[in-house]
Amino acid sequence: GEDVEQSLFLSVREGDSSVINCTYTDSSSTYLYWYKQEPGAGLQLLTYIFSNMDMKQDQRLTVLLNKKDKHLSLRIADTQTGDSAIYFCAESRRSNDYKLSFGAGTTVTVRA
Amino acid sequence: NAGVMQNPRHLVRRRGQEARLRCSPVKGHSHVYWYRQLPEEGLKFMVYLQKENIIDESGMPKERFSAEFPKEGPSILRIQQVVRGDSAAYFCASSPTEMINYGYTFGSGTRLTVV
């Protein structure tokens, strides 16, 4: 199987919270990242978390890391139409931390 | 301060032609990384280059693909004798050092279509 897995689609109502989930397989993962890709655009780094942290909050974004279960989540509070995009989870490992492994991406659709 | 610049944004090639994709890193960045995104998949690492050196090409197909990052000018990803399966989005990223703990800066990508 893939090193990083994500659910493919999420539909959420404007104003609600979105939760995007990701699981990874390698316990030596050191940094975990969330990227956002809007249609036809490149990847924008949203946030990252080091593997010795449980949680990180940055304005509307909250990242939770359960290292025991190798589970990462991204919560977007007060979801807006501008949050419609594909969200990629990625991880890097201490041995060669320049090489990111990406999930296939979760397409988030925000409906009015 | 411009970010990572990739051109062209879109490239159409017939089967058997050559594709050349260019990437200009963020000013002052000497480390460049190429990734490929096949339709409905995540990005896959291809190659990591520093100026005039290939550091890790473990993700590059052994044939038809090559990459360079000369002392002067942009990094080039070259695909010879393209086939339909090469159709993908190719992204370049750069960093100032080899430590990218805080994530790369990605370009907007080149979308290659092979007809």
Side-chain angles (χ1 to χ4, degrees):
Chain A
E2 295 294 329
D3 294 337
V4 180
E5 293 194 351
Q6 304 176 236
S7 52
L8 293 182
F9 301 100
L10 176 68
S11 178
V12 61
R13 190 175 300 172
E14 190 175 10
D16 288 351
S17 292
S18 309
V19 179
I20 307 166
N21 295 301
C22 168
T23 56
Y24 58 99
T25 57
D26 196 322
S27 57
S28 67
S29 295
T30 50
Y31 282 90
L32 295 125
Y33 307 88
W34 284 103
Y35 281 86
K36 177 183 180 183
Q37 184 182 34
E38 297 186 35
L43 275 72
Q44 172 195 355
L45 177 64
L46 285 179
T47 188
Y48 63 92
I49 188 168
F50 188 50
S51 57
N52 68 352
M53 299 168 65
D54 297 324
M55 186 182 89
K56 181 177 181 182
Q57 189 153 1
D58 183 2
Q59 298 183 333
R60 291 191 298 122
L61 305 178
T62 303
V63 179
L64 294 178
L65 175 60
N66 181 328
K67 198 172 180 183
K68 173 176 170 290
D69 294 338
K70 300 187 185 68
H71 181 266
L72 181 75
S73 68
L74 174 69
R75 179 176 178 270
I76 306 172
D78 187 25
T79 309
Q80 302 298 308
T81 54
D83 295 323
S84 292
I86 303 175
Y87 290 81
F88 291 95
C89 170
E91 55 98 17
S92 65
R93 303 167 192 177
R94 187 176 301 279
S95 57
N96 50 5
D97 63 357
Y98 56 81
K99 189 185 292 187
L100 269 61
S101 294
F102 283 84
T106 299
T107 300
V108 173
T109 303
V110 181
R111 59 187 192 279
Chain B
N1 183 18
V4 176
M5 303 300 291
Q6 291 188 248
N7 66 80
R9 290 292 301 274
H10 299 275
L11 181 61
V12 179
R13 283 288 178 266
R14 295 186 187 278
R15 280 178 294 170
Q17 291 185 319
E18 179 180 281
R20 287 169 62 93
L21 288 63
R22 284 176 287 277
C23 168
S24 296
V26 173
K27 189 175 180 181
H29 287 191
S30 56
H31 301 254
V32 165
Y33 317 84
W34 286 92
Y35 282 75
R36 177 166 66 173
Q37 183 183 27
L38 293 170
E40 298 183 0
E41 292 188 15
L43 277 70
K44 303 285 189 207
F45 170 83
M46 297 182 76
V47 61
Y48 163 33
L49 308 109
Q50 293 179 24
K51 286 282 188 180
E52 300 183 278
N53 286 306
I54 297 174
I55 306 302
D56 181 351
E57 56 182 349
S58 58
M60 287 265 280
K62 294 287 186 283
E63 296 178 353
R64 303 187 297 106
F65 284 73
S66 62
E68 62 177 11
F69 188 18
K71 188 176 180 182
E72 301 292 336
S75 175
I76 305 288
L77 179 68
R78 183 183 290 110
I79 311 171
Q80 295 178 302
Q81 299 175 325
V82 296
V83 300
R84 289 241 171 92
D86 297 331
S87 294
Y90 292 82
F91 290 96
C92 171
S94 72
S95 64
T97 70
E98 70 274 14
M99 300 296 288
I100 56 95
N101 298 340
Y102 308 118
Y104 300 133
T105 301
F106 276 97
S108 295
T110 294
R111 282 151 181 84
L112 171 66
T113 303
V114 179
V115 297

